[in-house]
Amino acid sequence: MEHGDGGSTGRIIILNGAPRSGKSSIVEAIQAGFDGVWVNLGVDAYIRHITPARYRPGIGLRPGGERPDLEPLIPRFYAALYASIAAHSRMGLNVVAEFGHHDAYSSPLGILADCAWQLAGLPVLFVGVRCSLDVVMQRRLAESPERQGIYVPIGPDMAVPAPVLAWQEEVHRPGIYDLEVDTSAKSPQACADEIKQALDRGIPSPSAFERLAAGG
């Protein structure tokens, strides 16, 4: 079946990993090298260009219940974004989207299962993007102070900040994926190549999202 031509269902790649794990670089490689139209509907674009400033970080809330006042909006933000992903796919457009899914809010919200349910019947490859903690810290230290300060200020002699550790611990729970890639071991292009090979082989049945929608 052809995809992305407006007359058939577009494929969907969901990348899940911690901040600085290399998801955005993989998205760029996919958009540059994969056949057909690949639309990026991930967390960065949603936060920076769609979410009103007073409601940020929105779906980018860190693990730990940092903003309970925003949490009632988070399931709706995710639902609306995933509905858009589904709509693009049904229009024959391929979608790649990067997220940092976790359920470590002030109380569990069960968002990932709801998101998986929204894409029922669509071809979704769910990819876990792993990256070692030392590489994540190297990437943070290489950024400008302004960019570092979005999360927590860090320096070469400081301990790993608690929010960074929390991301590493929480973002891959429950850890059900169709494929996992490691950006501390391979380049973004090599990871994109692995993803393409997985697409070419076909999405497993039941897929990771089918299992998540059914409760794991």
Side-chain angles (χ1 to χ4, degrees):
M1 178 171 57
E2 295 183 355
H3 299 277
D5 59 3
S8 55
T9 303
R11 291 171 290 181
I12 301 169
I13 300 169
I14 304 294
L15 306 175
N16 186 58
R20 314 308 192 279
S21 61
K23 302 184 301 295
S24 296
S25 296
I26 296 173
V27 170
E28 291 175 1
I30 289 171
Q31 288 189 301
F34 283 22
D35 293 337
V37 178
W38 285 88
V39 179
N40 178 10
L41 294 177
V43 61
D44 284 350
Y46 196 79
I47 292 174
R48 294 175 186 174
H49 304 298
I50 296 177
T51 306
R54 67 182 182 275
Y55 296 113
R56 295 174 189 165
I59 63 173
L61 279 177
R62 296 178 296 190
E66 63 175 339
R67 290 288 304 275
D69 57 309
L70 293 182
E71 288 180 11
L73 288 169
I74 305 307
R76 283 188 282 163
F77 281 157
Y78 267 114
L81 182 50
Y82 268 80
S84 181
I85 291 172
H88 279 72
S89 174
R90 292 188 178 109
M91 289 297 294
L93 297 168
N94 302 308
V95 177
V96 57
E98 37 86 20
F99 296 103
H101 275 293
H102 68 84
D103 207 22
Y105 299 97
S106 58
S107 60
L109 298 176
I111 291 171
L112 182 56
D114 291 340
C115 292
W117 180 86
Q118 285 212 64
L119 301 188
L122 297 173
V124 184
L125 187 75
F126 192 34
V127 181
V129 180
R130 304 274 185 175
C131 184
S132 65
L133 185 57
D134 59 332
V135 173
V136 167
M137 290 298 292
Q138 290 170 14
R139 291 172 181 171
R140 286 180 174 274
L141 287 167
E143 295 173 340
S144 66
E146 293 79 10
R147 176 65 173 160
Q148 291 179 13
I150 290 176
Y151 289 89
V152 284
I154 57 177
D157 299 323
M158 294 179 65
V160 177
V164 177
L165 288 173
W167 273 116
Q168 292 289 104
E169 294 170 358
E170 299 293 341
V171 76
H172 293 297
R173 295 183 181 178
I176 297 172
Y177 296 114
D178 299 305
L179 174 71
E180 295 187 44
V181 297
D182 186 345
T183 67
S184 55
K186 295 186 178 181
S187 69
Q189 185 60 58
C191 292
D193 290 342
E194 285 190 43
I195 292 169
K196 186 177 186 303
Q197 291 166 11
L199 287 177
D200 290 343
R201 289 193 300 268
I203 296 169
S205 182
S207 69
F209 259 33
E210 288 171 334
R211 292 163 60 194
L212 288 164

